[in-house]
Amino acid sequence: MHATGKSAGELSVGGPSVRGMTDAIVVEGLVKRYGATTALDGVDLTVAEGSVLGLLGPNGAGKTTVVRTLATLLAPDAGRVEVLGLDVGRGADQVRAAIGLTGQYAAVDEYLTGYENLEMVGRLYRLGKAESRRRAGELLERFDLTDAANRPAKTYSGGMRRRLDIAASLINRPRVLFLDEPTTGLDPRSRLAMWEFIAELADGGTTILLTTQYLEEADRLADRMVVIDRGRVIARGTADELKAQVGGQRLELTVTDAAVLPGMVERLRPLAVDEPNVGDQGRRLSLPVSGGAEVLVEALRRLDGGTAQIVDVGLRRPDLDDVFLALTGRAAEEVAADDPTAEPATTGGAR
Amino acid sequence: MSSLAATLSDSVVITKRNLIKVKRVPDLIVFATLSPIMFVLLFRYVFGGAIGGLPPGVSYAEFLLPGIFAQTIVLGSTTTGASIAEDLQKGLIDRFRSLPMARSAVLVGRTVADLGLNAISIAVMALTGLVVGWRIHSSVPEAIAGFAVLLLFAYAISWFMALVGLLVRVPEVVNNASFMVIFPLTFLANTFVPLESLPSVLRTFAEWNPVSAVVQAARDVFGNTSPLAPTPEVWSLQNPVLYTLIWVGVILAVFVPLSVRRFGSAASR
């Protein structure tokens, strides 16, 4: 993780200077309903000017709805939603002039060339002809698209389209940038390149709200995180704070055959300090434990005679996946489904 | 920049964007012009001999061409709906809506570009028509007025289709749905056959159908009628230009504000 938050006070990008830790984004009690469905049920979050917020959550949690509301595309049913001190409803045009949005799908016109796409967006930001052309050229260079500048975007790869899309959202030098799953569907190399671009922008002082399903991505790019599930915030803080919520070491175990895992879970349960998580189609077990190497030795002793199926075993510090699973409770449900006789870990120790 | 000037400038940018697509996908223009040529030739030579009851002194080619003009450009304006649905699906409308641009510009740019395509179609059809025996018997200003009435009507239909595209959101469905409306509308009219040949209920519908008025207006202005032809019995066909302009005004007054409003809350999902 890089430290963009530190420089927030000194840097000001486009517009009046901002002193101290002003919040560039303020969301309070945001509610959004679609008919009988409540997509957002009272979301609160703030993003300090110049910092990066990672908005995490499973599919359908409401991440995109938050972004669309902030980007003036959706009207909230209740709550306060402000960008740079402007209400997204009443001040929509001023908000639009100051933000950039990159949605989940690269919104580029595939019949236009890369250059024409950027020039068009510049003109629609009312930058004027000359400035639009200059910015288009600059951004094509910065995003490594100069060679493809005069080819229709139809011919671009997924990674190139995504870069062009981000370039389009930067034409107006936005002070606040919304990135909705910017690396979904990208190959690993393009993803790394995208991370570098985002980190550079953050270092330049742009306030960024980033949604993602990849915890590694949030861990790497975001200063702070907000985890939402079913339209509600279920956790917030820095990566370290979130990890601290989950606790200490985890014993991890991967087996070749999912059928043997429930038995192992039962034998290891006395060592657990919290509910175990089973993932990877029932082949991977993650068990919160306290203590060090002796726990690992004890675990292997308990599994004595049944270790032939184990392909990987070890202790590790929790990562955001553990945080996520612990918070959303999805993994606990999976364990219950796999093993209907499972008892709570606290009583298991008495056996 | 004043808000009107800004709206115009945004609309010009969007129109340009839409016309670039026509340049990059020449198939669009090829098929937009081939199908009218096909229609002209089919009706002229296949049905031409079989359709009777024409006003004395008017050849079927002369009778037919204004009808083909009207049907083709009304069909042509359905592309407005499909294109807008496509932009919605691809997330482009989201992009446009997140920009500080005029709300109406995307729709104005779209309808104006489609008007341009329709103008090309009509030019191709007119040339084909001249080859198969159609003639304009009036003056140049009258001829221009005739084409203008046709294109104006098509432009109004484009705004109706824009709303359909924003509501339906799936290009293929927009196309199918619009055929369901456009085909009866263009066939239950004086487009290809004289109204006298229709049974009475259909005939009343056809007499007040705005497409009939557009066709009648074009025939009158191009001089594709005959002094020997009976005077139409209904007001709509006695004053086809006025009746058409009333329809254009009503369609625009209703569907421009509705479409622009709908655009303001349009979402791809």
Side-chain angles (χ1 to χ4, degrees):
Chain A
M1 200 168 65
H2 61 92
T4 51
K6 277 189 267 176
S7 55
E10 295 89 62
L11 278 167
S12 79
V13 180
S17 70
V18 179
R19 279 178 297 281
M21 293 292 279
T22 317
D23 285 328
I25 298 173
V26 178
V27 175
E28 269 175 28
L30 170 57
V31 175
K32 180 69 195 176
R33 293 186 204 89
Y34 293 103
T37 318
T38 302
L40 297 177
D41 193 7
V43 169
D44 300 308
L45 60 86
T46 56
V47 187
E49 175 117 35
S51 73
V52 179
L53 179 83
L55 185 60
L56 299 169
N59 270 333
K63 303 185 296 290
T64 299
T65 308
V66 172
V67 169
R68 291 177 63 85
T69 309
L70 281 164
T72 77
L73 298 182
L74 277 181
D77 290 320
R80 176 176 160 220
V81 184
E82 289 179 4
V83 175
L84 298 166
L86 298 160
D87 180 89
V88 293
R90 287 188 300 277
D93 267 340
Q94 285 164 281
V95 171
R96 289 174 186 147
I99 63 169
L101 167 69
T102 295
Q104 250 179 68
Y105 307 97
V108 298
D109 188 320
E110 52 184 14
Y111 301 105
L112 265 53
T113 65
Y115 177 83
E116 285 165 344
N117 263 293
L118 296 185
E119 196 212 351
M120 171 183 75
V121 175
R123 296 297 303 277
L124 295 173
Y125 269 116
R126 315 243 168 93
L127 297 184
K129 206 176 244 176
E131 173 70 1
S132 298
R133 291 183 173 166
R134 211 176 54 73
R135 282 294 285 160
E138 268 174 33
L139 286 162
L140 286 166
E141 178 144 5
R142 174 163 180 199
F143 284 89
D144 226 355
L145 291 166
T146 308
D147 291 342
N150 295 316
R151 266 167 39 203
K154 211 181 170 71
T155 65
Y156 286 19
S157 69
M160 290 164 78
R161 276 183 198 218
R162 206 65 76 94
R163 268 160 29 220
L164 183 61
D165 196 26
I166 293 208
S169 60
L170 294 177
I171 283 271
N172 60 329
R173 304 176 199 275
R175 288 170 66 188
V176 177
L177 183 63
F178 300 106
L179 300 172
D180 194 6
E181 303 200 2
T183 65
T184 299
L186 291 189
D187 61 60
R189 207 173 61 95
S190 306
R191 175 170 302 160
L192 278 175
M194 191 60 76
W195 285 352
E196 275 167 36
F197 287 128
I198 296 170
E200 264 174 47
L201 285 170
D203 288 338
T206 307
T207 306
I208 298 175
L209 189 150
L210 163 97
T211 78
T212 183
Q213 296 185 60
Y214 302 112
L215 298 138
E216 190 191 354
E217 185 164 294
D219 206 356
R220 185 161 163 163
L221 295 170
D223 299 303
R224 299 184 63 78
M225 300 180 200
V226 166
V227 185
I228 63 172
D229 189 32
R230 298 189 174 102
R232 287 170 175 276
V233 175
I234 55 171
R236 65 180 84 230
T238 63
D240 288 337
E241 284 165 3
L242 290 182
K243 285 174 189 170
Q245 283 189 19
V246 184
Q249 302 268 34
R250 307 187 72 88
L251 175 75
E252 286 211 342
L253 181 73
T254 308
V255 296
T256 50
D257 180 4
V260 303
L261 206 58
M264 290 184 172
V265 172
E266 278 318 293
R267 273 183 275 168
L268 295 177
R269 198 176 280 280
L271 298 175
V273 296
D274 203 348
E275 272 300 292
N277 289 324
V278 175
D280 192 18
Q281 288 153 358
R283 297 200 309 115
R284 197 181 73 101
L285 168 70
S286 177
L287 197 72
V289 293
S290 67
E294 72 281 2
V295 182
L296 183 60
V297 174
E298 171 64 12
L300 292 173
R301 196 188 60 73
R302 283 176 177 262
L303 294 177
D304 197 18
T307 50
Q309 294 273 2
I310 299 175
V311 291
D312 189 34
V313 63
L315 281 174
R316 68 173 178 78
R317 288 193 13 88
D319 64 12
L320 279 168
D321 284 292
D322 303 314
V323 175
F324 195 74
L325 290 172
L327 288 169
T328 58
R330 295 282 194 274
E333 286 164 24
E334 278 173 29
V335 171
D338 286 347
D339 181 7
T341 63
E343 293 163 16
T346 44
T347 58
R351 265 191 359 190
Chain B
M1 225 175 341
S2 79
S3 92
L4 182 64
T7 303
L8 278 177
S9 137
D10 292 348
S11 304
V12 169
V13 172
I14 297 288
T15 306
K16 237 174 87 184
R17 169 233 164 190
N18 293 329
L19 292 177
I20 287 175
K21 177 177 176 181
V22 177
K23 196 174 84 184
R24 299 272 151 78
V25 191
D27 304 16
L28 274 179
I29 201 85
V30 169
F31 286 103
T33 51
L34 276 186
S35 63
I37 293 176
M38 183 191 76
F39 268 119
V40 169
L41 297 178
L42 276 180
F43 276 91
R44 166 74 180 81
Y45 293 107
V46 179
F47 297 113
I51 289 172
L54 291 175
V58 176
S59 76
Y60 189 63
E62 301 244 322
F63 179 83
L64 170 72
L65 258 286
I68 294 274
F69 289 161
Q71 193 202 32
T72 307
I73 60 171
V74 169
L75 270 177
S77 49
T78 62
T79 56
T80 302
S83 306
I84 286 187
E86 196 185 333
D87 282 351
L88 258 178
Q89 263 191 346
K90 293 193 172 161
L92 277 162
I93 301 275
D94 280 357
R95 160 72 71 208
F96 292 135
R97 284 188 54 225
S98 77
L99 301 177
M101 61 186 286
R103 241 184 192 197
S104 56
V106 171
L107 300 177
V108 172
R110 178 84 257 162
T111 51
V112 169
D114 290 340
L115 180 67
L117 270 180
N118 259 335
I120 294 171
S121 286
I122 227 173
V124 171
M125 285 188 290
L127 290 175
T128 316
L130 291 173
V131 172
V132 300
W134 171 72
R135 294 290 178 269
I136 297 175
H137 302 285
S138 55
S139 65
V140 173
E142 279 174 305
I144 291 172
F147 288 119
V149 168
L150 284 161
L151 289 171
L152 203 58
F153 183 72
Y155 184 73
I157 299 286
S158 269
W159 277 96
F160 165 71
M161 289 310 303
L163 183 65
V164 173
L166 288 168
L167 292 172
V168 176
R169 301 188 287 191
V170 183
E172 294 79 11
V173 178
V174 174
N175 273 333
N176 289 337
S178 55
F179 283 145
M180 294 287 296
V181 178
I182 299 299
F183 263 91
L185 209 58
T186 53
F187 275 92
L188 277 179
N190 58 0
T191 333
F192 303 109
V193 295
L195 287 183
E196 290 72 20
S197 65
L198 293 174
S200 65
V201 180
L202 291 184
R203 180 171 167 180
T204 308
F205 176 88
E207 281 169 344
W208 293 94
N209 181 347
V211 175
S212 294
V214 175
V215 174
Q216 186 69 35
R219 283 182 187 139
D220 285 357
V221 182
F222 292 139
N224 297 136
T225 50
S226 157
L228 303 172
T231 315
E233 290 155 30
V234 287
W235 183 86
S236 56
L237 297 180
Q238 286 164 358
N239 306 278
V241 176
L242 180 59
Y243 185 64
T244 302
L245 292 179
I246 291 172
W247 268 98
V248 168
V250 169
I251 293 171
L252 289 177
V254 172
F255 290 101
V256 171
L258 278 181
S259 303
V260 171
R261 226 181 101 182
R262 180 69 208 173
F263 180 84
S265 59
S268 46
R269 279 155 289 135

